[in-house]
Amino acid sequence: MRRVVRGFWGPRVESAEALARRWKLTLDQLAGLLPVVGSVAGEARTWRQIHSGGPATELPQDEESILAALHAAQEADGWSARIGSGLQLVLAGEPDWKIEVSGTGGGTSEFLLQSMVIGIKSPDTAEIPDAELLTAVAEVWEPDFGDVTDDDVLDALEDDGGFAVGEPSIGWIGYLSPGRAALLPDGTAVARKELSGGGVLLDIAPRGNVKDVLRTYLQLRDAGALQPLPSPMERAAL
């Protein structure tokens, strides 16, 4: 069983130091929410960093190591100041589990969204705290929109809802920034929770209930809550 927890936003200038702090908070939150990411025999697990060329390398879960990895990524990519600085990490080892974390932030591109995406492959019987994971992404990264979703939901939105990759969407759990939350239509039949950093978390449907996710997606899109950022983008959130 695989799901993805995602957050997306527009251009937002950030230093490598600020990004390293966000990355460290993200990994700490994962360790607290997913026991498989936590420590083994009292020692923290080590993430592996995936590189576009060459073998993966170990990346300790401390801010200094993360900052060094971000600086190295910036030096290797002459476009990083514009498209953002990214890392791709993976944690495997437990049977039937694989956690992948990839993100790009700090960029000023008017056409490419910045993002944080956490892919979780887990046993079918595992209890995954979807709402808490999306809350962590929302509060750490301050995105414009986000969701917890899978291929079944994305296929339904694309096939039956006219969704295109790169547009705002929802899964069985969704997040909307304050500007988007203000456009929620009256009578939206989903539970909502105000987050401390602003915006709302939407509990839309149980996992597997693709029909209700599609229905709510169409309702929110028609109300303007899922309209894309203006192109070219000039701000991080609606």
Side-chain angles (χ1 to χ4, degrees), residues 1-5 34 36 91 94-100 118-130 133 148-153 172 206-209:
M1 181 180 294
R2 188 176 188 276
R3 58 181 27 90
V4 289
V5 183
L34 298 173
V36 71
L91 188 66
E94 292 293 323
D96 300 321
W97 282 90
K98 184 177 182 181
I99 315 295
E100 301 167 287
I118 302 168
I120 302 170
K121 178 182 178 293
S122 64
D124 292 346
T125 57
E127 294 289 335
I128 307 297
D130 291 329
L133 287 165
V148 185
T149 191
D150 61 12
D151 288 341
D152 290 341
V153 170
W172 57 89
R207 183 174 187 179
N209 188 343

Side-chain angles (χ1 to χ4, degrees), residues 21-147:
R21 286 192 291 271
R22 292 189 194 267
W23 270 99
K24 176 64 164 58
L25 285 171
T26 300
L27 300 183
D28 286 348
Q29 291 275 20
L30 286 176
L33 293 169
L34 298 173
V36 71
V37 178
S39 62
V40 178
E43 295 187 6
R45 292 183 183 273
T46 298
W47 291 85
R48 295 188 64 77
Q49 182 182 359
I50 307 301
H51 304 277
S52 56
T57 56
E58 291 190 352
L59 181 63
Q61 192 175 315
D62 63 80
E63 195 168 321
E64 183 177 351
S65 297
I66 295 170
L67 179 58
L70 284 168
H71 279 314
Q74 290 174 340
E75 293 171 2
D77 188 349
W79 292 96
S80 63
R82 182 155 181 78
I83 65 174
S85 303
L87 297 177
Q88 183 178 359
L89 310 180
V90 64
L91 188 66
E94 292 293 323
D96 300 321
W97 282 90
K98 184 177 182 181
I99 315 295
E100 301 167 287
V101 186
S102 60
T104 302
T108 61
S109 173
E110 300 170 322
F111 302 102
L112 294 175
L113 288 168
Q114 310 290 290
S115 65
M116 168 54 55
V117 179
I118 302 168
I120 302 170
K121 178 182 178 293
S122 64
D124 292 346
T125 57
E127 294 289 335
I128 307 297
D130 291 329
E132 290 81 359
L133 287 165
L134 185 54
T135 296
V137 169
E139 293 184 341
V140 171
W141 291 94
E142 304 171 88
D144 183 31
F145 60 92
D147 58 16

